Amino acid sequence: MLSATQIEDYHRDGYLLVPAVFNPAEVAELREELDWIFAAWADHNAAWQGPWREVYMDEAQRQQAVLVAINDLHLHSARWQQAAAHPRLTAALAALLGPDVELHHTTLHAKPPQVGSPFPLHQDNAFFAHQTPAYADAILHLDDAPEEAGCLRFVPGSHRLGPLAHIREGGAPHLPTDQYRLADTAPVPARAGDVVLFNLWTIHGSDLNHTPHWRRAVRLGYRDPANLQLDGHALGRLGWMVRGRRQKNATTAALAR
Ligand SMILES: O=C(O)CCC(=O)C(=O)O
């Protein structure tokens, strides 16, 4: 699924755009299922809070910014569970993480037209810390995400900094806005069906959605099952193996109890 050059790019930059992992029919099915998740389960008032908002948005934008989100939609929908084990996606993950790949979580982030909220620069490690960087997030795009729709933006090579201290007061963990600026990041525009893979330690964020269209994306987090979680979302929860096997040792046996 991934060429040697793509694998090299991922390890050098800490992220990689993989075009057309899901075909148009698969994207259409997943969008339809998202409509149900939106109505039944999603939090329609999930925009991240915190002092960073003063830097990323003016007063009017702060009043209006909206994010629709939910964690672990794959626990509510078989279609999304199947998407998490999609063979083209898990083959790409195995090329980056090794033969054994465990699904850790899924998260919907949907930015409504014009008012879709930005994300401050952060590492996902601040939300679900792990012992090693053998963890990749996969952001599956359900809509086209050009730069003006608030596409993902990365600090290339920042995974090599390792886990950084985040500001945690007043809202979601984020990096200091005077040291890490959205303007210094590389945008990664994507099309519906594309997946962006990135390392747990790679610094990333995104801007407001300024377009008249939704920008819906689902993050699927995968790890080498030997990579021990230290903190955060889904700590102590075993995930499904989407490739290979979980080896048994004292730690995994205790978690499986
Ligand atoms: O969806 C976005 O624009 C950013 C998402 C993000 O930062 C994340 O999933 O960690």
Side-chain angles (χ1 to χ4, degrees):
M1 173 67 201
L2 295 185
S3 67
T5 308
Q6 285 176 306
I7 295 170
E8 203 177 296
D9 289 351
Y10 174 86
H11 290 300
R12 183 193 60 231
D13 297 336
Y15 64 91
L16 177 73
L17 169 69
V18 189
V21 176
F22 287 71
N23 67 36
E26 291 165 338
V27 170
E29 260 198 23
L30 291 172
R31 278 187 185 150
E32 189 185 301
E33 191 71 351
L34 263 194
D35 289 345
W36 174 78
I37 287 166
F38 260 54
W41 283 99
D43 175 358
H44 290 251
N45 188 21
W48 291 14
Q49 302 301 315
W52 60 272
R53 288 166 62 95
E54 313 261 324
V55 177
Y56 280 64
M57 292 180 279
D58 64 28
E59 173 65 26
Q61 290 169 330
R62 288 200 294 277
Q63 297 285 344
Q64 292 179 342
V66 175
L67 180 74
V68 180
I70 179 186
N71 278 325
D72 296 319
L73 47 157
H74 70 287
L75 299 181
H76 307 308
S77 154
R79 253 192 205 167
W80 271 98
Q81 184 200 329
Q82 287 148 14
H86 191 295
R88 276 195 295 277
L89 177 58
T90 60
L93 288 154
L96 303 177
L97 298 175
D100 303 323
V101 181
E102 177 186 9
L103 174 67
H104 171 250
H105 77 281
T106 59
T107 297
L108 162 70
H109 282 151
K111 296 185 185 190
Q114 309 293 357
V115 295
S117 188
F119 286 81
L121 290 180
H122 64 280
Q123 296 169 315
D124 280 357
N125 193 71
F127 292 81
F128 32 88
H130 280 69
Q131 211 159 45
T132 81
Y135 189 118
D137 275 320
I139 298 216
L140 165 57
H141 291 76
L142 281 311
D143 299 301
D144 290 350
E147 203 172 330
E148 54 280 14
C151 70
L152 291 166
R153 307 184 67 100
F154 294 93
V155 178
S158 53
H159 57 307
R160 286 194 288 275
L161 298 170
L164 299 169
H166 283 58
I167 295 168
R168 291 177 180 272
E169 293 75 36
H174 62 280
L175 290 164
T177 49
D178 54 345
Q179 288 175 48
Y180 300 94
R181 298 174 344 115
L182 209 51
D184 299 331
T185 56
V188 181
R191 308 291 300 268
D194 294 354
V195 169
V196 177
L197 301 168
F198 61 97
N199 184 297
L200 181 68
W201 293 349
T202 307
I203 297 172
H204 64 284
S206 64
D207 208 345
L208 275 159
N209 178 8
H210 293 286
T211 72
H213 309 290
W214 278 88
R215 200 233 65 181
R216 293 168 295 182
V218 171
R219 187 183 68 223
L220 305 105
Y222 298 92
R223 64 188 172 198
D224 173 348
N227 186 8
L228 193 65
Q229 183 166 357
L230 305 174
D231 197 12
H233 180 66
L235 179 68
R237 182 176 80 181
L238 286 184
W240 289 319
M241 295 302 298
V242 292
R243 300 260 311 197
R245 294 173 170 158
R246 186 193 317 281
Q247 301 306 324
K248 190 171 181 184
N249 58 36
T251 308
T252 54
L255 285 173
R257 221 173 273 140

